Amino acid sequence: MSEVAIRINTPEELESLRDKVISARDPDATVVSVCTGPGCLAYKSHLVAENIEAELEKHGLADKVRVSRTGCHGFCERGPSVVILPRQTCYLRVKPEDAEEIVKTTLVEGGVVERLLYEGSDGVKIELEQEIPFYKHQDKVVFGVNKYIDPMQMDDYLAGGGYRALAKALTKMTPKEVTEEVTKSGLRGRGGAGFPTGRKWDATSRVEADQRYVIVNADEGDPGAYMDRGILEGNPHSVIEGLMIAGYAVGSTEGYIYVRQEYPLAIDHVLYAIDVLRGMGLLGENILGSGFDFDIKVHKGAGAFVSGESSALMSAIEGRVGEPRPKYIRTSVSGLRGKPSSLNNVETMANVPLIIDRGADWYAAMGTEGSKGTKIFSLVGKVLNTGLVEVPMGTTLKQIVFDIGGGMRGGKKFKGVQTGGPSGGVIPEAQLDLPVDFDQLASAGSMMGSGGMIIMDEDTCMVDVARYFLDFLADESCGKCVPCREGIRQLVVVLKRITAGEGREGDIALVEDIAEMMKDSALCGLGQSAPNPVLSTLKYFRDEYIAHIEEERCPAGVCKPLIAYWIDPDKCIGCQKCAKECPVDAISGEKKEPHTIDMEKCTKCDTCFRVCPTKVQAVTKITRAEAEKLGAPRQVEEAGA
Amino acid sequence: MLETMGKVEEIIALNDNDKERLIQILLELQKEFRWLSREVLERVGKKLDVPINHIYSLVTFYSHFSLVPKGRHVMSVCVGTACHVRGAERLLDSVASAVKCKPGCTTSDEKFSLDTVNCLGACALGPVMVADGEYMSNPTPDEISRKVESCE
Ligand SMILES: Cc1cc2nc3c(=O)[nH]c(=O)nc-3n(C[C@H](O)[C@H](O)[C@H](O)COP(=O)(O)O)c2cc1C
Ligand code: FES
Ligand code: FES
């Protein structure tokens, strides 16, 4: 590892180091960027990188071609992703055994390995990354550099202009000017509420104190979102530089990064980056000769969604239980250890160096009136192309789901998109033209949240989705305030009843009553926003609730007590696939003869439905009423399950 | 036991005997021993001069800590939103019946633990599980039983 070990004492020294790093690199030299983000690692991309290196060695190219292990490229669906720079040839679904061919064909002979290229549904292959529809419609201001950066190589960050913004802030701007620039840029917090970042810094800096703290929130509690992980793991220096600028702006000498322990790689990368910075004198005393002292500590979160809330997070850093406290006093006045503290999300911080470096006007030119810049989303669920995507604020849902996401998998019909995680809501098809920004999402009954975007198709049950989030929150509520603790519990009881087909008349009104009470009286954001998923699904998908309650029917065929599996004798070809795979031996029948399912034995594991050949589709989901006509026993949900 | 307590003291010392670092210390102990025994927690309390009820309030609040020994093989099923809409519950049922234990529990022979986790950052593979460190994307019941049978 060729790491810079010299001390940097002035902005001039930083620039001359940067020049040295850049001039030592041939801009036309080939770099193989191998994604080692979480999705690609799961498909053994570390072995892809290793094998490519070994093959380069074999061909005597080890000195000429560099293999760079980077963070998430974005298109996780088709990972492992390998991009060959500077040309941008993009290989997808690369297996370790493909290394030989890639090196020989592309790096030795200059050709293209056709079979590893992106192939659209029209069968057309695309070589260059920026021409693949998934990437073409994005604007990757923050996230695009990931593929150029090995998080364990300070040189990579420096070559891209790293710490230039810090030097500018420390030596050419006063703390007040830095805050004003951020305010002018219109940057709003990416962690959920969208609070103007500059205003938060300003409030914190105005409180008289002997110490103030700046903190990065990398707790990323939204289950199904991993943008912050993508940034912190892939480009830790961008977050650290943002934090240092924040520290300077509010007058703090101590920063914290609160990372969930489930992200060990992010923690390693951050700790390593901090070490390197200390060695260079970019953390410590008198940074860049400016008189600014600053250091950073890392705190690992031990797994509690509510600890991502600002006051709870600060308690956790103090070694106490991470529960929120009432906010008659803001954390900007009395936060960590009772001192004025400013907390920002990972993505918010990663935007800061760009704003200082290129200016507020450049930044404010992107986005909408009330929401500036870009936003990174975790586009997941039933959409064809899942991954991390970055678009300017104001991009419509339709562009995100269809142009970038490629529409639904398996030709299914789009039903809704869930944004904002457990605090957000579901937006229906009728609102696909909605421009995505903080205010538009809120007015549609959802919220931006941290950027989770879960796409749902006709096979997703909206009542089940609401139950899912409430179940999640029931576990995560700290229990300190009654409206949240008891409110969520009661909502879960009612929703479980509905999804079990035992819903009663008046249940919908009851849910709405409880929800209103919680919104008005819960202590923190968790409880206040907990009813959002159920309220928004009630608003847009009320008929599904009614079908469950009045007809004991789950229109999407998801709620187990309301469905049964049945083999259509007219369609079954007797291939015996389902009988072989059934884990409880509930399926019988002779070869080439129609099979039958013993509904009493059947655990509704869905295996037969999935293995039945698509051309045949004999296994069918039927409703409870239909099943009972066929003599199936009525299934009642286990009490307390 | 002596060895265990030596390790406890070492980890506390590495954290500068700092009370504020209590959660960090407990995380390191959890990593080291895979669970937190009463003896270990009492030693931490004594060393840092923190009441034992305070320590218990922490280890019961945070989901990562375990007060019982974990199994030798850990099956983690993702129940994050992206996996949920792609059938995580079904997967969880299958794994539970294969290892014969409920989510959040450990088998009495301490062979298997079945955990649920929120988002493994591999949503594209959903529903996804990690069996002893190996990612499995939407495995069939058959694949699950084969994996379970291969565990010693
Ligand atoms: C229950 C709850 C959980 C939260 N979890 C997170 C989280 O995981 N990550 C995050 O950045 N913000 C989270 N927030 C929002 C934070 O309280 C805070 O608003 C945010 O970190 C501020 O940063 P920003 O202004 O840059 O958005 C959570 C809020 C609540 C109420
Ligand atoms: S993890 Fe490789 S593209 Fe996202
Ligand atoms: S929700 Fe399961 S991996 Fe993300």
Side-chain angles (χ1 to χ4, degrees):
Chain A
M1 215 158 288
S2 73
E3 278 298 358
V4 256
I6 30 166
R7 277 192 83 80
I8 302 294
N9 300 305
T10 62
E12 293 72 36
E13 285 178 20
L14 178 67
E15 281 319 305
S16 78
L17 172 65
R18 190 189 322 283
D19 288 345
K20 238 169 66 194
V21 169
I22 293 173
S23 60
R25 290 184 171 183
D26 172 2
D28 300 322
T30 308
V31 177
V32 183
S33 167
V34 180
C35 173
T36 51
C40 293
L41 266 188
Y43 281 119
K44 306 195 169 53
S45 65
H46 57 295
L47 295 180
V48 172
E50 250 172 56
N51 289 2
I52 293 180
E53 270 172 346
E55 290 296 324
L56 287 171
E57 189 79 43
K58 256 194 232 160
H59 289 277
L61 284 172
D63 300 337
K64 294 205 185 72
V65 178
R66 191 159 59 90
V67 174
S68 178
R69 293 165 172 80
T70 74
C72 177
H73 290 175
F75 203 179
C76 315
E77 171 76 39
R78 308 244 181 154
S81 157
V82 174
V83 180
I84 299 173
L85 307 169
R87 191 175 154 78
Q88 312 265 359
T89 301
C90 176
Y91 291 139
L92 298 165
R93 296 216 173 109
V94 179
K95 296 195 186 68
E97 52 272 26
D98 295 329
E100 194 181 337
E101 193 177 349
I102 292 177
V103 172
K104 185 163 173 291
T105 308
T106 307
L107 301 170
V108 177
E109 297 163 3
V112 172
V113 185
E114 289 278 334
R115 67 180 178 87
L116 295 175
L117 294 181
Y118 172 86
E119 187 180 329
S121 45
D122 50 4
V124 176
K125 300 210 170 198
I126 300 175
E127 181 200 344
L128 303 182
E129 191 192 71
Q130 69 270 27
E131 287 170 11
I132 296 172
F134 176 82
Y135 289 113
K136 193 164 81 181
H137 301 285
Q138 296 190 43
D139 201 350
K140 302 217 282 179
V141 176
V142 176
F143 200 60
V145 289
N146 257 29
K147 69 169 177 273
Y148 300 102
I149 291 181
D150 175 340
M152 302 295 263
Q153 294 282 345
M154 175 71 162
D155 283 5
D156 287 352
Y157 189 65
L158 285 177
Y163 295 100
R164 193 164 59 206
L166 176 75
K168 179 174 171 188
L170 295 187
T171 57
K172 298 209 176 80
M173 299 166 85
T174 64
K176 196 158 181 282
E177 282 166 349
V178 172
T179 304
E180 277 167 6
E181 193 72 10
V182 172
T183 304
K184 205 170 123 203
S185 75
L187 175 65
R188 291 172 68 174
R190 304 311 198 222
F195 194 83
T197 305
R199 249 172 60 202
K200 190 183 275 185
W201 293 5
D202 184 50
T204 310
S205 70
R206 281 170 191 274
V207 183
E208 272 313 313
D210 53 355
Q211 176 63 293
R212 300 183 188 85
Y213 295 106
V214 280
I215 309 166
V216 178
N217 190 343
D219 200 35
E220 193 152 69
D222 178 357
Y226 61 108
M227 315 65 55
D228 292 350
R229 178 186 192 163
I231 300 173
L232 200 59
E233 227 174 74
N235 193 0
H237 282 290
S238 67
V239 180
I240 292 174
E241 187 176 3
L243 178 64
M244 293 173 76
I245 294 171
Y248 176 70
V250 311
S252 159
T253 60
E254 207 173 312
Y256 282 84
I257 302 182
Y258 184 102
V259 199
R260 61 193 332 216
Q261 66 82 29
E262 289 92 332
Y263 291 175
L265 225 55
I267 295 169
D268 283 354
H269 293 174
V270 166
L271 286 174
Y272 181 78
I274 291 175
D275 245 17
V276 171
L277 290 169
R278 283 186 187 143
M280 295 171 71
L282 286 176
L283 278 176
E285 286 174 8
N286 193 19
I287 296 166
L288 293 172
S290 67
F292 173 57
D293 304 339
F294 194 74
D295 208 349
I296 297 174
K297 288 187 180 148
V298 173
H299 182 101
K300 285 178 264 179
F305 176 67
V306 74
S307 286
E309 191 273 345
S310 51
S311 62
L313 184 142
M314 294 177 198
S315 293
I317 294 181
E318 291 168 8
R320 296 188 289 123
V321 168
E323 286 177 353
R325 61 166 175 75
K327 293 208 200 73
Y328 338 102
I329 308 174
R330 293 181 172 277
T331 45
S332 55
V333 176
S334 172
L336 182 58
R337 304 187 189 110
K339 306 288 180 195
S341 307
S342 177
L343 173 73
N344 282 117
N345 165 265
V346 168
E347 190 183 336
T348 315
M349 286 301 191
N351 272 284
V352 168
L354 300 174
I355 292 170
I356 297 302
D357 189 36
R358 301 187 208 173
D361 294 331
W362 162 79
Y363 193 80
M366 296 181 288
T368 62
E369 186 60 37
S371 309
K372 299 300 182 192
T374 60
K375 178 77 194 86
I376 304 174
F377 292 101
S378 145
L379 183 65
V380 295
K382 305 280 188 78
V383 68
L384 193 61
N385 302 327
T386 60
L388 295 179
V389 308
E390 180 176 358
V391 289
M393 294 275 192
T395 306
T396 65
L397 277 173
K398 196 186 237 150
Q399 286 170 304
I400 298 175
V401 177
F402 290 90
D403 296 348
I404 297 172
M408 300 297 100
R409 356 180 93 219
K412 296 275 178 180
K413 197 166 152 4
F414 173 85
K415 186 171 192 177
V417 43
Q418 207 279 345
T419 69
S423 310
V426 181
I427 297 167
E429 194 189 2
Q431 303 213 18
L432 268 176
D433 286 320
L434 193 80
V436 177
D437 74 6
F438 287 106
D439 311 311
Q440 297 280 352
L441 284 175
S443 69
S446 185
M447 65 183 274
M448 178 75 84
S450 55
M453 210 174 245
I454 290 104
I455 310 304
M456 296 162 180
D457 67 9
E458 53 191 302
D459 294 338
T460 316
C461 170
M462 292 299 159
V463 190
D464 173 70
V465 166
R467 181 203 56 81
Y468 164 79
F469 280 117
L470 285 162
D471 237 359
F472 171 81
L473 291 171
D475 263 358
E476 299 294 342
S477 164
C478 73
K480 197 165 164 176
C481 78
V482 180
C484 175
R485 187 183 64 225
E486 296 305 320
I488 294 176
R489 188 143 66 191
Q490 291 311 316
L491 287 177
V492 170
V493 168
V494 179
L495 285 175
K496 278 206 168 145
R497 186 154 82 206
I498 298 176
T499 51
E502 314 294 330
R504 303 172 193 160
E505 206 189 312
D507 270 354
I508 293 182
L510 178 62
V511 165
E512 285 170 334
D513 262 4
I514 299 173
E516 283 312 316
M517 175 279 295
M518 291 172 67
K519 272 186 151 177
D520 292 340
S521 56
L523 175 68
C524 82
L526 189 150
Q528 289 156 10
S529 61
N532 284 353
V534 56
L535 286 179
S536 74
T537 46
L538 264 174
K539 181 167 168 190
Y540 297 118
F541 304 96
R542 207 179 186 87
D543 49 342
E544 279 191 45
Y545 282 81
I546 294 172
H548 281 75
I549 298 173
E550 292 178 5
E551 301 164 34
E552 298 185 0
R553 184 170 64 84
C554 174
V558 170
C559 298
K560 268 192 183 183
L562 297 183
I563 55 166
Y565 290 82
W566 175 71
I567 299 177
D568 186 341
D570 295 337
K571 287 189 183 163
C572 182
I573 53 166
C575 71
Q576 295 198 308
K577 264 210 179 102
C578 57
K580 270 196 210 108
E581 290 274 355
C582 177
V584 291
D585 293 325
I587 303 178
S588 55
E590 296 298 318
K591 205 170 171 154
K592 302 224 165 101
E593 294 293 323
H595 282 43
T596 50
I597 300 179
D598 180 343
M599 292 195 197
E600 226 160 308
K601 267 193 187 169
C602 175
T603 57
K604 302 179 190 175
C605 70
D606 204 51
T607 306
C608 52
F609 188 76
R610 285 190 291 150
V611 298
C612 186
T614 28
K615 278 193 293 232
V616 180
Q617 285 187 7
V619 180
T620 318
K621 284 184 198 173
I622 57 175
T623 64
R624 180 191 260 187
E626 288 165 336
E628 280 170 358
K629 256 191 227 148
L630 292 166
R634 173 168 275 245
Q635 181 196 336
V636 183
E637 265 299 78
E638 251 177 80
Chain B
M1 198 43 145
L2 251 170
E3 209 179 311
T4 304
M5 289 308 157
K7 196 75 210 174
V8 173
E9 307 243 330
E10 186 189 322
I11 287 176
I12 295 175
L14 279 173
N15 282 283
D16 307 323
N17 288 298
D18 184 355
K19 264 188 223 180
E20 238 188 36
R21 295 191 56 80
L22 180 53
I23 298 173
Q24 307 305 296
I25 291 168
L26 293 171
L27 278 172
E28 284 171 43
L29 293 170
Q30 168 78 40
K31 189 169 175 193
E32 179 71 30
F33 304 123
R34 306 217 321 275
W35 72 293
L36 300 169
S37 67
R38 176 153 193 115
E39 291 75 23
V40 164
L41 294 178
E42 274 170 354
R43 179 63 66 105
V44 173
K46 213 168 261 159
K47 256 335 256 188
L48 293 177
D49 194 22
V50 175
I52 190 78
N53 65 343
H54 179 79
I55 296 181
Y56 269 96
S57 75
L58 286 174
V59 296
T60 52
F61 181 80
Y62 290 105
S63 63
H64 187 64
F65 299 121
S66 172
L67 291 169
V68 287
K70 283 257 163 187
R72 296 189 298 284
H73 303 282
V74 181
M75 306 280 149
S76 308
V77 177
C78 177
V79 292
T81 323
C83 288
H84 177 78
V85 300
R86 289 197 190 178
E89 218 152 315
R90 207 168 54 218
L91 176 59
L92 187 59
D93 285 349
S94 303
V95 182
S97 72
V99 297
K100 300 190 182 59
C101 95
K102 283 194 168 172
C105 299
T106 298
T107 52
S108 53
D109 58 0
E110 286 180 23
K111 186 167 174 188
F112 291 109
S113 287
L114 174 55
D115 287 342
T116 57
V117 290
N118 295 318
C119 196
L120 291 158
C123 315
L125 287 59
V128 51
M129 65 177 287
V130 179
D132 270 345
E134 186 195 334
Y135 279 76
M136 298 177 81
S137 168
N138 199 10
T140 62
D142 209 36
E143 285 168 325
I144 296 168
S145 7
R146 256 179 289 149
K147 178 75 203 176
V148 166
E149 275 155 29
S150 76
C151 290
E152 299 278 305

